[in-house]
Amino acid sequence: MTATGKPIPVPNGWDRRGLPGWTYHSRALFELERREVFLNHWQVAGHVCDIPAPGDWLTFDLLGERALIIRGRDGLVRAFHNLCRHRGAQVVDGAAGHCKSALVCPFHGWVYNLDGSLRGAARPESFGDMDRDAFGLKPVEMEIWHGFLFLRFLAGPQPPVADLMQPFEADFAAYRAADLLPGDVGGWSATTLPVNWKSVRDVDNEGYHVAMAHPALQDLYGRAYRDIVYPGGISHSHGEFGATGGRLWSVRNYLKLSPRPVHLPPRLRQSWTYYGLFPNTVFAFTPEGAQFYHDIPRAKDETRVDGRLYRYPHETRAARAARYLATRIDRATSAEDQQLSIWSNESMKSTAFDDFHLSDLEYGVRAHHDEIRRLLPVTRLDDAPDEDRIDLLNEDLRSAGANLA
């Protein structure tokens, strides 16, 4: 499905309900989500600036799959399954690192070149006539868009990244996203929450709660915040600052120090902008820095919130200080959202929970749920099916929908 570039207006008389509560606590549904929502949709693993030199690598793990992204001697960036072709051991261990000339499996010492090809197996005579060309690291589908590294473990319904993100092309170009450098102010503080991943997304997919739950953001941009939904599972939110604000120390000093880059169009010079990618990724840009964050499911009731921070080249001292203050504001906001996610997730288990009743300002939540309903029609059922029937029932409903179409 290719995005049209035109936002979706909030329809009149739309169904204000969300996904039923059972979908947040079903093990069988979580397994469907693993296959049909996560492994076959684009995931962001980092930026080319995270691996600047040949031999630099980083990893990305998702629901039983392990990816290795490495820059080769030729300067090209490639992605592979982080599995040795001998016994499946991890070829590299850790989040990021560097190897001088080759990757060496720590289990039996198989050696791979930086382009993923097999240089040689330990004790090669013990394998008979083995074709080395047939035992290189298995590639993972990867696309690079404005410097960001997008991976997909299985073929899926989303179009190429450039087509999917086309409505945001001009903004990412204006922000000079391809030229970003790794950030060094505080770093990203990853957190694991005892919640279903959808509870995290539900909180992050709307700005209706900003005025009540986020004092710093309310002080920064208040009613200027807007959410915009596009077809294909992408969204855009922004809050313009400077007209009011400055009651809180971090906000007041941020407003003094934040740059107004002349290369940005006026609408972005005093704005925090967020670009959402279904199912679980958000890019965030400010005039002095950028980040992406994502909700990585570990189990039906466990989600890791993680991401990476970036800065712009030729950073001034004032811009660095503003970036520190932006990170400070964002960390407080993240902590507030985490508590809201926990409360929301707990409510789904209560017999008193009837349904969502969404405001027009929460249409982003509905749009995200609709994308899940489209992929997994079993989530349209109000009452929880038997766990052992969910997979088959989902296929029956999909087939019925296809026949009706």
Side-chain angles (χ1 to χ4, degrees):
M1 179 186 297
T2 302
T4 64
K6 296 180 180 179
I8 301 173
V10 177
N12 293 324
W14 60 284
D15 187 344
R16 298 181 183 275
R17 296 175 298 170
L19 291 171
W22 71 265
T23 64
Y24 291 73
H25 299 289
S26 165
R27 286 187 175 85
L29 180 68
F30 182 76
E31 178 56 30
L32 281 178
E33 291 174 336
R34 174 185 179 272
R35 300 195 315 261
E36 302 189 33
V37 175
F38 282 94
L39 296 184
N40 66 347
H41 282 69
W42 293 114
Q43 297 287 327
V44 179
H47 189 279
V48 292
C49 70
D50 295 316
I51 46 175
D56 288 346
W57 55 263
L58 58 86
T59 60
F60 178 73
D61 297 349
L62 179 68
L63 293 170
E65 299 291 352
R66 307 193 302 255
L68 160 67
I69 305 101
I70 187 168
R71 189 178 290 273
R73 287 183 171 276
D74 54 6
L76 296 179
V77 177
R78 301 176 176 88
F80 303 99
H81 287 273
N82 187 14
L83 272 74
C84 179
R85 295 298 305 280
H86 172 217
R87 295 270 295 277
Q90 292 188 174
V91 179
V92 299
D93 182 30
H98 175 81
C99 59
K100 289 185 179 180
S101 61
L103 297 161
V104 182
C105 175
F107 196 179
H108 294 92
W110 282 36
V111 181
Y112 297 89
N113 296 309
L114 302 187
D115 64 0
S117 60
L118 178 65
R119 182 181 297 185
R123 300 288 300 272
E125 73 281 359
S126 68
F127 289 95
D129 295 329
M130 186 179 76
D131 180 4
R132 285 189 304 174
D133 292 340
F135 285 90
L137 297 176
K138 287 189 175 182
V140 173
E141 185 180 9
M142 182 187 72
E143 294 187 11
I144 301 175
W145 186 72
H146 287 281
F148 288 102
L149 305 167
F150 293 76
L151 303 181
R152 185 162 58 180
F153 290 101
L154 301 174
Q158 290 176 316
V161 174
D163 293 343
L164 180 64
M165 301 290 282
Q166 188 278 329
F168 311 141
E169 169 68 33
D171 284 10
F172 275 68
Y175 278 118
R176 299 177 180 175
D179 300 328
L180 290 169
L181 298 174
D184 57 355
V185 177
W188 225 99
S189 182
T191 305
T192 299
L193 300 176
V195 303
N196 184 268
W197 70 277
K198 294 187 290 296
S199 291
V200 184
R201 282 290 88 228
D202 288 348
V203 172
D204 200 53
N205 274 333
E206 51 88 1
Y208 180 44
H209 70 285
V210 167
M212 188 68 186
H214 299 316
L217 292 188
Q218 179 67 11
D219 193 29
L220 179 64
Y221 47 62
R223 286 182 172 271
Y225 186 84
R226 295 289 183 273
D227 291 319
I228 304 170
V229 176
Y230 290 80
I234 59 174
S235 61
H236 171 213
S237 305
H238 69 279
E240 297 178 14
F241 61 82
T244 59
R247 181 177 55 85
L248 301 177
W249 182 88
S250 293
V251 175
R252 182 168 64 252
N253 286 282
Y254 173 79
L255 293 173
K256 293 177 183 177
L257 295 169
S258 180
R260 308 292 189 268
V262 295
H263 67 270
L264 290 178
R267 63 184 174 83
L268 298 180
R269 289 177 191 168
Q270 293 178 243
S271 176
W272 283 23
T273 57
Y274 308 85
Y275 304 92
L277 171 63
F278 183 87
N280 63 323
T281 302
V282 176
F283 300 90
F285 288 85
T286 66
E288 60 284 327
Q291 65 174 297
F292 75 85
Y293 58 91
H294 44 198
D295 320 314
I296 304 297
R298 297 287 188 83
K300 70 177 181 66
D301 290 320
E302 183 179 327
T303 303
R304 182 174 175 83
V305 182
D306 205 348
R308 290 177 180 265
L309 297 173
Y310 300 96
R311 62 182 176 88
Y312 296 113
H314 314 299
E315 185 177 57
T316 65
R317 291 180 64 185
R320 178 181 172 84
R323 188 160 56 86
Y324 163 76
L325 292 168
T327 301
R328 180 184 170 112
I329 294 169
D330 196 62
R331 279 183 175 173
T333 301
S334 180
E336 292 153 359
D337 276 344
Q338 288 168 21
Q339 183 59 70
L340 295 172
S341 298
I342 292 171
W343 286 338
S344 178
N345 196 78
E346 289 173 346
S347 73
M348 301 300 173
K349 296 179 179 179
S350 172
T351 57
F353 179 80
D354 292 327
D355 218 323
F356 291 71
H357 187 69
L358 299 171
S359 159
D360 287 354
L361 300 176
E362 298 170 289
Y363 190 67
V365 177
R366 173 70 194 203
H368 190 264
H369 288 191
D370 282 346
E371 195 70 11
I372 295 172
R373 290 186 183 98
R374 185 181 67 81
L375 294 167
L376 302 175
V378 71
T379 61
R380 300 169 189 165
L381 300 178
D382 292 334
D383 297 322
D386 292 338
E387 284 285 287
D388 60 0
R389 295 189 60 244
I390 283 180
D391 198 335
L392 181 60
L393 186 56
N394 188 68
E395 287 304 312
D396 289 345
L397 292 171
R398 193 201 310 275
S399 297
N403 290 335
L404 289 174

